[in-house]
Every structure is written in C-alpha cells, then in structure tokens.
Amino acid sequence: MGRIFKNMIPYWKSIVIILLLLIIQAYCDLSLPKYTSAIIDTGIQNSGVEHILPEGITEEDYRMAQMFMTSEEKEVWESCYVKEDDIYRLQIREKERLSELDEQLILPLVIVYQISQMDQEELASAMEPGAPEASAMPNGNMAAGEVPKEVVTSVREQAQGMIDTMGETLLQSTGVAYAVNCDKAAGIDVDTIQKTYLVTSGIRMIVMALIMGVATVLVGFFASRTAAGIGRDLRESVFKKVVGFSNAEIDKFSTASLITRTTNDVQQIQLVTVLLIRMVAYAPILGIGGVIEVIKTGAGMGWVIVLAVLLIAGVVLLLMSLAMPKFKQMQKLVDNVNLISREILTGLPVIRAFKREKHEEERFAEANTALTKTTLFTNRVMTFMMPMMMFIMYGLTVLIVWVASHKIDAGVMQVGAMTAFITYAMMIVMAFLMLTMMSIMLPRAGVSAQRIDEVLKTDSSIANAEDTVRRTEKTGLVRFDHVCFRYPGAEENVLSDIDFTAEPGKTTAIIGSTGSGKSTLVNLLPRLYEVSGGVITLDGVDIRKLKLEDLREGIGYVPQKGILFSGTIASNIRFGAAQASEEEVVQAARIAQAEEFIEGKDSRYESEIAQGGSNVSGGQKQRLSIARAIAKNPDIYIFDDSFSALDLKTDAALRKALAENVADKTVIIVAQRISTILHADQILVLDDGRIAGKGTHEELLKNCDVYMEIAKSQLSEKELGLNAGKEAADE
C-alpha cells in the first residue's frame, strides 16, 4: 500500500485538485436527499411553507396567537407584524431570523393550533379539574389576554410534555400547519407558494446534480491522467533500470518476468491508482458526511447502520481470507505463461521441424489452466461479494422502512425524513462497500508493486566506479591479466587464469570446443559480466575504472546471434553511429559484403527490417550486424562467431576487406572454423575454460594437441601436409 501511495507523491497537485472536487461532489451528493426530504415534507405535506409564522394573519387569529404567550413572546410577536387594512403582514424575511423565531414561538402557536382543532368536549376534558369552563377558552370567543394566568401555565406545561414526545421534525410540521391555516384565512394564495417552492427545489436539485456530474467527470479525468502518468513513470523507471542491468541480473529475473513486471504489473498499479483516487478518497468523505446527516435527521436509528456495517465487514473478512493467498500466486503464474509463450513463439520453427506441436500445446495448456483455475477461484470469490452486499443493502432498506413506519405512526417522524434516512444509510453502506471492494483489489496490486519495487531496488552488479578515469591514449591495447570468472551463484570457474594481450593492428582469434568459454571471455571486455579474479586493462587502464559509456564507446561488438531492430537497413547500420553519412553507411555495407543484396532491394538502404530481422536470412542478418560495428569505427572489434552463417567465399572476402580497412584496429574473433582464423596474428585455444595453446596457426599445429584435433576435424591431411611442407620450405 505504501509503495502505491509513494508513486503518487510527484502528482500531489493533481491529488489536491481531485480531493477538492471530491468534496464538492460529496456535498452535492449529500444535498440531494435533503432536497428530496424537503420536497416531501415541506413542499407536499406543508404546502411549501417552511416557517411557523404566517405571511398574513387576520386580526382575530393575531389576537388568539398571543393567548398562551409570555410577555416577552408577545413583544417578539408584535415586532414581526405590521397591520395593513384588516390583515397583519409579516415583516421578517431573513431566514436565520425566521428560524430563531420558530424556536421562540413554537410552543404557544402549537398550543393555539391544537386547541383550534378541538371541539368543546375535547377541550373541556383536556383541562385540569378546577380550570375554567370551555366557554372561557378561545373557541368560546373569549378575547386574548383574558385567560387566567394559572390556565396559561397549566396548558403550557401540558403542551410541553406532549411536545417533548413529538420530536423536532413533527413539532415544526405542526407549527407550519398553523401558519398555512392562518395564511388561507388571510387570503394568501398558498397554492402559488407551494408551486414556487417545488419548482425552486427542483431547480436546485438539477443544479446540484449538474455540479456533481461535472465534478465527477473532472475527478475521472484527473484520476485517469494521474494514474496514466504513474504508469508511464513506472514503465520508464523499470525500463531504465533493466537497461542498466548486467547479464547476471537479467538471468536472475528472467526476460519473461521482466516483461510481465513492465506491462501487467504496472497495469495493475495503474488500475488500482484510479480506483484509489476515485473511490478510497471519496468513501470517507461520503461516509462521514452521511453519518453527520443521519445524526441531523434525529431519527434515532443509527443502530441499523451499525448493524449493516458489521455485516459487511464480516463478509469482507471471510472473502479476503479465502482470496488473499491466491492473489500472490497469480502474478507468478502470469510469469510462467509468458515464459512458455515466449519459448514456443521464438522456437516455433524447431518445434514444427520436430513435430512437437502437440507436446508444446500441452505444456502451454498446463500453465494456462493453472492460471485460469487461480483466476476463476478469485473471481468466484469476488462474485459472492456483490450479491451479498446487495442483499445487505436491500435488507437494510426494509429494516429502515419497518422501524420508521412505527415512528411515523407514533408521530415522531415524517415520511421525508425516512426517505432521507434511507438514502443516507445507502450512502454510508456504499462508502464501506467501496472500501471493501478496494480491500479485495489492493492485495494483487500490492504484489505487483512489490515485484516492481524489487526490480527498482536491485542494483546492477556492474556499475561505474566512484573514481572513474579516462584513457589518455586510445589505441585499443587489450590485456587480460590472469582473469578468472564464475557465474553468480556458481561454485566453479567458467574461465581460469586467462592471460593474453590483444594488440592494435593485429587479429587475435579464439577457438575451442563448444562450452569452452569463448563467448563468455569476449563478454567480459565490454563488462557484460564482471570478472571474478584478475584484471582486464584497456590501454593500460583497468576497465572497471573506466566509465561504462567510454568503455563501450570504443568497442564494436557483433554477437554470436545477429540481432536487428525494426526500422530500415540504414537505421540498423547507423545504430551505433547515428551521425554516420550515407557514404559511411555504404562503405560499412561494402566491407561487410552486404552491398550486393542491399542493392538488389527496391528501396535499397531504406528497405524495411521487421522486428528481430525476421524478413532477412541468417547470413544477411550477420552481415548487417557486422556493418553496424564497422560504421561505428571503434578502437576494438569483437566478432563472436559472427561469420558462422556465411559461406566460405563470402567469409574470405569479408576477412580480406576487414584486413584492408581496419588494419590499425584491435580485432578479436571467436570462431568455430579454422579457415576463418587461419591467418590471425594470434590464436588462443580454449579448453574447459583455460588457455590450452597460444600462437599462430603453424605454431599451434606443432605444440597444441587440442588445436591439432580441431584442425584434423576440419582440414584434410593434404591441407595439413601442404601447410607443413610450406613451413619446412620456409625454414
């Protein structure tokens, strides 16, 4: 989780904007139920009247309203109205002041309203023993102010007890009913007030919905942009890190796994980042806001929400305990599928040649089935979540309606308040639902983040030294001084006590049986691997003290397997020398014996090269790889068995052209054919990781049994005799 949030730090400005938008969205979302409740309770039930003070009141009702008021309340009441003709008009328009007056005058006005709804018998029975007769009350046409003080006190005490059981909402509704009756009696058009209120509330709801919609869209935009940026940064970071890895780190992770980490794992983090920003950040805002609004309703049903939250938490914990172990397996299984797919696709010609399609299909099916089973298990667990959550939510709705109906029947709650409570309860449950959904998705993203972090925290075993130096002379003199090498984790050396010098203007050839360490030896020079013992120097400087860029800049490396990149022939030749002119490109192709087949193409040097060079032959691929190294014009050429796909004629022509054009360079050739290295200035014979012989072709025939065995396997006795005869004649 921390790793995922760490990726968001560079985008803190966008996160702040998103949080502000989420607050706006939540405010609008939480406002809509209040408008719905107000439309039901105020707009429909209370005829659009919001306060207990009538807009207009007749003189009779005006006097009656003061019947059970205290002297202070009478002063407040009289300050609110001005008489116009026979009607008293309300002068107060400020909503805050009207709300204050609602609290101050609610008791006497509700008493008057309740008394006005009673007949004479009900009124008499309501009075305590010893109270005045009903004829002395308002319905008995007694003028205001003539009610004895003890009656006022008694009635107010009884009314206060009743009001305490009514609840604030129902009490306000009763007071509003009084105002509506007075307005109608005063000739006020209550229907117009109601229509105006409903239209105004509807417009406000529409505006809120539009603002919420805009905020939601903007949150989605910024969240997607942030997540896409994080994905881009992660891919770039992983790619840069992997490019700097030595072969040892590549082997440790495997190419298939690194591809999965750069693609699938980053995609998981990108997806979860969007959901984190949009859902996890929104859920607490919505949930806390919902709780506050629920408390404001005064419905007294908070226990219902607590029960629902506990049920949701129980379901989530159960499902997570089942799914969590599987999430950690999924990414490894994805790695395995990618690995097998890559092996099959790259080795398809061999598979077909050996009729192994069915076996490989079964191997892929086995890996695919393992991944499918794990994915299905986690998905099936996930499918249980939504139905169970919906069941809890609808069960919660039914429970709220059942409890609220009893409260409405008891007169302590209104229908609109129940509707708002249901909506807020759903919001709170949805907030927890969003968090629980993320709790299911986060573990897999956490695994992906851990795998990516593992790559980013892995330092290459080959890096620039702290005190790097530069070569004062760039001649290309290479010296292997008793070099040893073993692969990371291996117990035995692959190369032992390798000691030789490769001089500028001379060709050093390396030959030996398969597995003798030829390619490993030349891979040490550009530091694709690090030596385990001894020293390799270039122009007298330990290559470990040279900057990797400076070291590799002076080397033209042609690997054993020709590798081309998608683009054109010219772009591939210019791969190591981007500024090479057209003449230099043509010259490099001519030396590499590639000019003939290039000129035969319609677009010549602008001919397209497919990915991996799949649209050219093996020999053409090798020649273009050689041309690429020549165009770079380095101090040292390394040809790692780079002539193996060439016929003898092309091989001879290429070596001749090389001798003429790179006469002052250091050339190191790894070869299997003796004909390729016959005229080398120095030949190293490797046997089981050690130098078994060193010298020219003629010298090795005399004093190196290993070389003699190789020579006999490739050259006829006549050719060997001719060489020996020639040597004797020279002597």
Side-chain angles (χ1 to χ4, degrees):
M1 190 76 171
R3 297 184 182 95
I4 297 175
F5 283 119
K6 182 178 68 176
N7 297 325
M8 299 182 189
I9 294 175
Y11 298 90
W12 65 270
K13 292 181 181 178
S14 296
I15 300 297
V16 170
I17 294 173
I18 290 169
L19 289 175
L20 293 175
L21 290 170
L22 287 175
I23 292 172
I24 295 172
Q25 180 183 345
Y27 176 80
C28 297
D29 207 354
L30 293 166
S31 297
L32 292 178
K34 288 191 288 188
Y35 285 116
T36 304
S37 176
I39 286 175
I40 295 172
D41 293 339
T42 303
I44 297 175
Q45 292 185 346
N46 294 341
S47 302
V49 177
E50 299 181 75
H51 300 283
I52 65 174
L53 297 185
E55 289 289 327
I57 186 170
T58 62
E59 185 172 357
E60 181 182 357
D61 288 335
Y62 181 80
R63 300 298 177 190
M64 288 175 61
Q66 302 178 58
M67 188 176 300
F68 295 98
M69 291 183 181
T70 63
S71 57
E72 292 178 358
E73 290 171 345
K74 287 179 182 179
E75 290 180 6
V76 172
W77 172 261
E78 291 173 355
S79 66
C80 295
Y81 287 92
V82 173
K83 187 176 182 181
E84 296 179 3
D85 298 328
D86 295 331
I87 303 298
Y88 285 86
R89 304 288 179 181
L90 182 65
Q91 300 301 304
I92 308 298
R93 289 288 176 264
E94 297 82 3
K95 289 188 176 182
E96 291 183 2
R97 179 58 181 159
L98 288 172
S99 297
E100 291 175 2
L101 293 172
D102 287 347
E103 295 180 4
Q104 291 178 9
L105 302 177
I106 187 71
L107 179 60
L109 295 183
V110 167
I111 293 172
V112 171
Y113 177 71
Q114 293 289 351
I115 291 175
S116 68
Q117 301 302 306
M118 298 180 184
D119 56 28
Q120 295 294 327
E121 293 181 0
E122 291 174 332
L123 185 60
S125 63
M127 296 293 101
E128 293 181 351
E133 295 295 328
S135 60
M137 302 308 293
N139 283 4
N141 298 319
M142 185 176 185
E146 297 180 8
V147 180
K149 185 176 181 180
E150 61 272 14
V151 173
V152 172
T153 303
S154 175
V155 171
R156 285 179 69 104
E157 289 177 354
Q158 290 185 53
Q160 187 64 56
M162 179 188 68
I163 286 171
D164 291 340
T165 63
M166 289 176 66
E168 183 180 344
T169 304
L170 187 57
L171 180 64
Q172 180 73 12
S173 181
T174 304
V176 168
Y178 168 77
V180 171
N181 284 346
C182 291
D183 283 339
K184 288 181 179 179
I188 302 295
D189 190 351
V190 177
D191 290 340
T192 300
I193 293 175
Q194 184 178 34
K195 290 177 182 177
T196 302
Y197 182 86
L198 290 173
V199 170
T200 303
S201 297
I203 292 173
R204 287 175 179 172
M205 288 186 73
I206 292 172
V207 171
M208 284 291 181
L210 289 174
I211 293 173
M212 185 172 67
V214 172
T216 304
V217 171
L218 290 175
V219 167
F221 170 76
F222 283 108
S224 300
R225 186 175 179 180
T226 300
I230 289 172
R232 176 200 61 203
D233 295 344
L234 283 175
R235 282 189 294 270
E236 186 176 345
S237 299
V238 172
F239 181 77
K240 285 183 177 178
K241 195 73 175 181
V242 171
V243 168
F245 280 169
S246 69
N247 289 7
E249 285 76 44
I250 299 291
D251 295 340
K252 172 188 172 184
F253 287 105
S254 85
T255 304
S257 179
L258 289 172
I259 291 173
T260 304
R261 294 171 198 239
T262 310
T263 54
N264 185 271
D265 286 338
V266 171
Q267 188 176 3
Q268 289 292 328
I269 293 176
Q270 188 170 327
L271 173 63
V272 167
T273 300
V274 173
L275 297 178
L276 274 174
I277 295 172
R278 298 188 64 179
M279 294 174 62
V280 175
Y282 187 55
I285 298 173
L286 188 64
I288 294 170
V291 170
I292 293 172
E293 294 299 333
V294 162
I295 294 172
K296 285 182 179 179
T297 61
M301 294 191 297
W303 63 270
V304 178
I305 297 174
V306 173
L307 176 63
V309 170
L310 291 176
L311 287 173
I312 291 173
V315 171
V316 171
L317 289 174
L318 175 63
L319 296 180
M320 282 186 64
S321 64
L322 294 172
M324 274 286 289
K326 298 294 182 181
F327 282 121
K328 295 181 179 179
Q329 296 178 13
M330 285 182 65
Q331 295 306 103
K332 293 182 179 178
L333 293 173
V334 171
D335 281 350
N336 192 37
V337 169
N338 285 344
L339 175 63
I340 294 174
S341 300
R342 190 169 180 271
E343 284 182 346
I344 291 173
L345 292 175
T346 54
L348 203 54
V350 177
I351 293 170
R352 288 171 178 167
F354 284 86
K355 296 183 180 179
R356 298 282 290 179
E357 292 94 339
K358 187 174 181 180
H359 172 76
E360 296 302 322
E361 286 174 5
E362 291 174 354
R363 193 160 71 99
F364 178 81
E366 183 179 350
N368 190 34
T369 301
L371 176 60
T372 303
K373 285 182 178 178
T374 305
T375 306
L376 284 175
F377 180 85
T378 54
N379 287 343
R380 283 167 183 163
V381 170
M382 293 281 289
T383 56
F384 277 101
M385 173 168 286
M386 192 54 66
M388 294 180 78
M389 293 302 171
M390 291 299 104
F391 178 79
I392 293 173
M393 288 178 67
Y394 289 126
L396 176 63
T397 304
V398 172
L399 183 60
I400 291 172
V401 172
W402 185 76
V403 175
S405 63
H406 287 76
K407 290 181 175 287
I408 293 171
D409 184 59
V412 296
M413 189 176 186
Q414 290 186 293
V415 176
M418 181 192 71
T419 305
F421 188 89
I422 291 174
T423 307
Y424 287 129
M426 292 301 103
M427 287 182 178
I428 295 169
V429 172
M430 284 300 297
F432 277 92
L433 183 58
M434 285 189 280
L435 291 175
T436 53
M437 290 288 290
M438 288 305 303
S439 68
I440 294 294
M441 299 185 69
L442 274 176
R444 186 175 181 184
V447 172
S448 296
Q450 185 177 2
R451 284 158 53 86
I452 291 173
D453 203 48
E454 187 180 356
V455 174
L456 296 178
K457 286 185 176 179
T458 299
D459 293 324
S460 176
S461 58
I462 298 175
N464 288 322
E466 295 182 1
D467 52 344
T468 56
V469 298
R470 288 184 173 274
R471 289 185 291 161
T472 54
E473 295 182 5
K474 294 186 178 182
T475 61
L477 178 65
V478 176
R479 168 73 177 148
F480 277 66
D481 188 3
H482 301 285
V483 170
C484 299
F485 172 75
R486 71 175 61 182
Y487 287 106
E491 296 180 358
E492 297 182 358
N493 287 340
V494 177
L495 297 173
S496 299
D497 197 29
I498 305 298
D499 191 85
F500 71 93
T501 301
E503 299 178 5
K506 294 183 179 181
T507 300
T508 298
I510 303 171
I511 195 169
S513 58
T514 301
S516 59
K518 304 183 297 296
S519 295
T520 303
L521 189 151
V522 294
N523 284 338
L524 294 177
L525 182 54
R527 293 187 71 190
L528 301 182
Y529 289 106
E530 197 75 282
V531 298
S532 304
V535 178
I536 301 175
T537 61
L538 176 58
D539 293 328
V541 180
D542 188 339
I543 60 173
R544 289 172 293 192
K545 292 187 177 181
L546 293 172
K547 282 189 176 180
L548 286 170
E549 295 81 0
D550 295 340
L551 170 65
R552 291 167 182 171
E553 185 182 6
I555 298 174
Y557 179 70
V558 184
Q560 189 172 4
K561 181 181 178 181
I563 297 174
L564 299 181
F565 302 92
S566 54
T568 63
I569 290 176
S571 68
N572 271 275
I573 295 176
R574 286 194 178 99
F575 191 78
Q579 306 303 322
S581 64
E582 186 176 347
E583 292 77 11
E584 290 171 331
V585 169
V586 173
Q587 176 68 8
R590 184 178 296 118
I591 296 171
Q593 307 303 302
E595 186 178 28
E596 183 179 350
F597 83 83
I598 294 174
E599 294 293 341
K601 293 181 175 291
D602 293 337
S603 301
R604 300 174 67 248
Y605 288 89
E606 296 305 316
S607 299
E608 290 294 324
I609 296 293
Q611 184 180 9
S614 58
N615 60 338
V616 294
S617 68
Q620 292 172 342
K621 195 183 297 186
Q622 277 197 340
R623 281 178 278 176
L624 289 177
S625 298
I626 294 169
R628 178 172 61 206
I630 294 170
K632 186 179 179 182
N633 192 30
D635 301 324
I636 304 163
Y637 288 95
I638 299 176
F639 299 102
D640 185 5
D641 203 10
S642 308
F643 308 127
S644 57
L646 305 180
D647 58 84
L648 292 175
K649 180 182 177 182
T650 305
D651 185 352
L654 196 155
R655 284 187 286 107
K656 182 181 178 183
L658 275 175
E660 293 173 354
N661 290 275
V662 297
D664 58 337
K665 308 294 184 180
T666 301
V667 179
I668 300 175
I669 299 176
V670 174
Q672 297 284 356
R673 295 194 304 225
I674 284 186
S675 59
T676 303
I677 62 171
L678 199 62
H679 303 291
D681 299 288
Q682 177 182 224
I683 301 174
L684 305 179
V685 183
L686 286 187
D687 183 33
D688 196 21
R690 295 178 179 274
I691 296 179
K694 185 192 306 183
T696 62
H697 170 69
E698 290 77 10
E699 291 170 348
L700 291 172
L701 283 176
K702 290 181 178 180
N703 54 34
C704 183
D705 295 337
V706 176
Y707 187 78
M708 176 61 77
E709 289 176 7
I710 297 172
K712 285 182 177 180
S713 66
Q714 297 183 20
L715 302 175
S716 65
E717 293 288 339
K718 183 178 180 181
E719 289 174 314
L720 290 174
L722 287 173
N723 289 337
K726 182 180 179 181
E727 183 181 345
D730 292 338
E731 291 177 354

